[in-house]
Amino acid sequence: MIAAFIRRCRQTGELSAAGAAALEHSIGPRMQIFGAREELFRPGDVQKTIYLVNAGIACQCSVLRDGRRQITSFLLPGDLFDVRAYLGMPFEHHVYTLSMLETMPLVLSDVTACGAGTSGLEEVLWRAVALHSAISREWVLNVGQRSAVERIAHLLCELFTRLQAVGLTFDNRCLLPLTQIDVAEAVGLTPVHVNRTLMSMTRSGCVTFHRGVLVIHDWERLAEIAGFDARYLQIEPTKPLSDSPSQATRRSATHCSHESR
Amino acid sequence: MIAAFIRRCRQTGELSAAGAAALEHSIGPRMQIFGAREELFRPGDVQKTIYLVNAGIACQCSVLRDGRRQITSFLLPGDLFDVRAYLGMPFEHHVYTLSMLETMPLVLSDVTACGAGTSGLEEVLWRAVALHSAISREWVLNVGQRSAVERIAHLLCELFTRLQAVGLTFDNRCLLPLTQIDVAEAVGLTPVHVNRTLMSMTRSGCVTFHRGVLVIHDWERLAEIAGFDARYLQIEPTKPLSDSPSQATRRSATHCSHESR
DNA sequence: CGTGCAATTGAGTTGAGTCAAGGCTAGTGG
DNA sequence: CCACTAGCCTTGACTCAACTCAATTGCACG
């Protein structure tokens, strides 16, 4: 049920088997489902629950008065949001789903019930926050210093790695239900420029990103372009395989659309 | 001694008077002083203490392999860094001082000693993290979507407001020991462009930022340019006074250097 | 009185944005 | 089963905000 989350917690060793069981027991039955492109929260909302993403993708987005939009983080399976809730603070940003989303409310009492202190859920929350703050810092760097190709490459590396950590990648590909517009809002570029850049990237043969499917043909090269170092994600970096032994998908760009169906 | 920090905690009501006393008693004597432009931590460092900035300014900075640098946050008096330490995680960024810095190590036992749970230091840490994550998100927005003037204006508004919250502003001015290069690294622009932009801003009469002194002549206008909304800083926004009744400092740009001495 | 870093200014370049027009695809409703 | 629509993707031509390179000034510190 809440596989992604528990999987990640166990992996980093923060949650005991008992804790995992307790957690599954207590929050398992409370799943909530949302459709794609639904708004979950808007600025000013206050609520005391933290949500756990079980399946699907959502994002947090800040909007300027004149309509410029910036996605400030993606919420993938296994992620918690938003810690501000833990403190009863109002949101300053929008949270909306990008795909269908399965979510569980984590009530405060769960946190304490599973054994507060440094070995229970309390620590899980701390780690979640630390992770998100590391990601957020990396985004500042990404948007502040890197060029268009580098930004996009970095974002793709990050998302792929995070999905990999919760078992949602298959060899060198994964489902990533974002539009180019979403990518643009995440990396601070215009959709037009994202499109041109993505095209040239697939032409150069290292990634394909079409209709919600990301295929990484040459991880080494992509990571090199991005200057990607997975350590900040607190995940042991299991490199995805590149394309199967010299199938040489990189030679032609034209059949990308086949691969990514 | 640790006035700035306690002041802020009391202000937001997270720390009881007793807690404050206990805190002052336990960590007061452990002050550490660093010079300007000293590196405190570098990527890979691990240490278990959280530091509390008492006076001075430091920053966290990420560096790309080719030397591009991005400051990802400023550490002002009253700030805690770095929560990753709380979890024993390695740093991925540099931390260095910008001015002389007075710092206190907060050891984990202090946290629990002052009464763990939701009313003691534990909550203070949570709030510190929530604040920093809000700031970080705002930076992504800043660097991702805003133009040069907007970025700089926003940064100045943020820093002024944060300093104000710990009582380090005087009317419409404050000490801000940053070079234009630092500003450039924080907002993701080149120093040259920051210079040009700052010049035009002071020419237009709303701010002066010279030799470590920031003077805000027209807060309304600056905040308007920046699209600044202080709520994310969790501080009740006490607007700084603009220039004293129609002294009209804005008419001339030439005497800025006097004001800011 | 150098020496070195920060600030300033000018001239020329460019990466990314803007505007505008088609093309593709999935979903809708007749 | 086939128009019709609405998003998204794609492409071209042009513009501009910010960058680069380069030189000069100014200040502070030894």
Side-chain angles (χ1 to χ4, degrees), chain B residues 50-63:
Chain B
I50 294 180
Y51 285 86
L52 169 55
V53 178
N54 187 24
I57 299 191
C59 70
Q60 304 185 254
C61 182
S62 296
V63 184

Side-chain angles (χ1 to χ4, degrees), chain A residues 179-180 195-196 199 210:
Chain A
T179 64
Q180 294 185 354
N195 178 277
R196 287 193 234 269
M199 300 246 85
H210 255 302

Side-chain angles (χ1 to χ4, degrees), chain B residues 149-197:
Chain B
V149 214
E150 293 170 333
R151 284 186 215 186
I152 294 174
H154 197 277
L155 179 68
L156 296 180
C157 286
E158 178 194 306
L159 293 177
F160 189 91
T161 307
R162 286 169 66 188
L163 287 172
Q164 187 178 234
V166 288
L168 291 173
T169 57
F170 314 95
D171 295 339
N172 61 342
R173 63 189 57 200
C174 63
L175 291 175
L176 193 63
L178 307 181
T179 64
Q180 294 185 356
I181 297 173
D182 298 323
V183 174
E185 288 177 0
V187 296
L189 296 168
T190 53
V192 174
H193 200 59
V194 166
N195 179 277
R196 285 193 235 270
T197 309

Side-chain angles (χ1 to χ4, degrees), chain A residues 59-71:
Chain A
C59 71
Q60 304 185 253
C61 183
S62 296
V63 183
L64 297 180
R65 266 169 308 166
D66 63 2
R68 281 174 287 175
R69 301 159 57 81
Q70 175 71 45
I71 290 178

Side-chain angles (χ1 to χ4, degrees), chain A residues 75-86:
Chain A
L75 303 168
L76 308 186
D79 285 345
L80 292 172
F81 73 98
D82 183 326
V83 207
R84 302 180 77 67
Y86 187 51

Side-chain angles (χ1 to χ4, degrees), chain B residues 200-225:
Chain B
S200 95
M201 287 170 85
T202 97
R203 236 175 282 124
S204 87
C206 63
V207 258
T208 314
F209 178 50
H210 255 301
R211 355 199 96 269
V213 180
L214 173 65
V215 186
I216 299 185
H217 301 297
D218 187 340
W219 175 264
E220 298 294 349
R221 193 139 53 97
L222 189 66
E224 172 63 27
I225 292 171

Side-chain angles (χ1 to χ4, degrees), chain B residues 5-22:
Chain B
F5 179 65
I6 288 183
R7 172 167 182 162
R8 212 185 48 200
C9 289
R10 297 305 315 271
Q11 183 185 323
T12 52
E14 318 144 38
L15 194 59
S16 63

